Amino acid sequence: MKRVIGYRCTICGKEFPFEPERMTCPHCGEKGILDILYDYDEIKKTLTREALRNNRDNSMWRYRDLMPVDERTDVSGFLRIGWTPLYESRQLGRELGLKRLYVKDDGLNPTASLKDRASGVAVAKAIELGYDTIACSSTGNAASSCAGSAARMGLKAVIFVPERAPEGKVAQLMIFGAKVVSVHGDYKATFDLSKAAIEKYGWYNRNAGINPVMTEGKKTVSLEIAEQLGFEPTDWVACSVGDGCTIGGVYNGFRDLYELGLIERIPKILGVQSTGCCPFVDAARQQRPLVPTEENTIADSIAVGVPRNPVKALRAVRDSGGAWIAVSDEQILDTMRVLGRTEGVFGEPAGVTATAGVRQAVADGLIRADETVTVISTGSGLKDVKNALRAAGKPKLCEPALDALERSGIL
Ligand SMILES: *Cc1c(COP(=O)(O)O)cnc(C)c1O
Ligand SMILES: [Zn+2]
């Protein structure tokens, strides 16, 4: 991989050469999450606006020059991941009084969440390295995306989920034929068991927090946002945060484009959590390191009390001049309804959390009316129908007669 120079540890800052199987820093142990370093001068030669304009690959692989996958790895057979639509808001932006608002609907990925981007890279990596099994622990979407891409590419998948994972996501796992371990415990217990099992059985490790190639898949969402906006991204980009891997990727993508001279500035990144589980927001507010918190929110995909990738997430907000904000579960449920009603976009609770955060940030005056904003909708609402019906209610029953319809009050 001639475009990948090596790693830099996010804790001690030491740099060392790329080894495809390395997960964390040899000096700092498990907390030593790594960044992947690219040869931007080399990449500049091929990754230009012109080249992208002529590129007919409408998937995240159009950016493979910026991804840690070997040049020889064939990615043509994958599910179609990425190149999801970026909608200019027709209603919600106006209701919020914003100059411009865009919605990046990543719920339209093949297994219906942004996690497909990371799982695609993980499966490509596992195949490249000769593994026959990939394993992952997840609150749901990392799992279903991993199982989907693995099924497509003929890898076995072993998936650890906490027992509270929504049925829609568990159904995906079963349909994709994964071995599913439903763990009687919270996400931390699930993660720890998967870690022990991965060590014991020697599977490829897709755990997002520690595997540095994951962020590099997720960053393709911001590469797309920039390209879809003609390389003039909005003032703000908002994203919901659990482990911190997604927001770290969002920042890395913009930083790559900045280093390549393709964009002139990096958007301010708004990190959004639920008040029921917001270790990042609490730490930022009290200016102290993260402490473990309870996982008490309906937004299951971001119910992460002990985030696995805190450094990249904190850096994304700090270095972009962004902000942290928390919204309540009621605001999240309300936003599910609002995003559906105003834009026709159906998000799961964690999927609409970024939009809920933007509504709050506008109310707080943190985002000003003369600014432009992109919200990332990270997962589809069909994954969690129970909460969708909680947000929007159930329809009234009507007898099959016109006078009954008139009397029903539905219309
Ligand atoms: C995983 C996930 C997130 C958060 O990503 P992290 O990398 O855990 O911060 C947000 N929304 C959805 C729908 C997710 O599945
Ligand atoms: Zn280190």
Side-chain angles (χ1 to χ4, degrees), residues 236-241 247 269-273 281 317 322-326:
W236 290 88
V237 172
C239 161
S240 55
V241 181
I247 195 171
I269 297 176
L270 185 71
V272 190
Q273 299 203 283
V281 180
V317 170
W324 288 102
I325 199 164

Side-chain angles (χ1 to χ4, degrees), residues 115 141 218 240-246 301-302 348 350 378-379:
K115 294 284 194 302
N141 287 331
K218 289 183 174 182
S240 55
V241 181
D243 267 324
C245 186
T246 305
S301 303
I302 52 168
E348 66 165 271
T378 44

Side-chain angles (χ1 to χ4, degrees), residues 65 106 118 122 124 140 148 163 181 210 272 301 327 341 345 359 391 396:
D65 284 357
D106 246 42
E163 58 183 332
V181 186
I210 63 171
V272 190
S301 303
V327 290
R341 170 176 61 76
V345 170
R359 294 172 78 199
K396 249 182 171 173

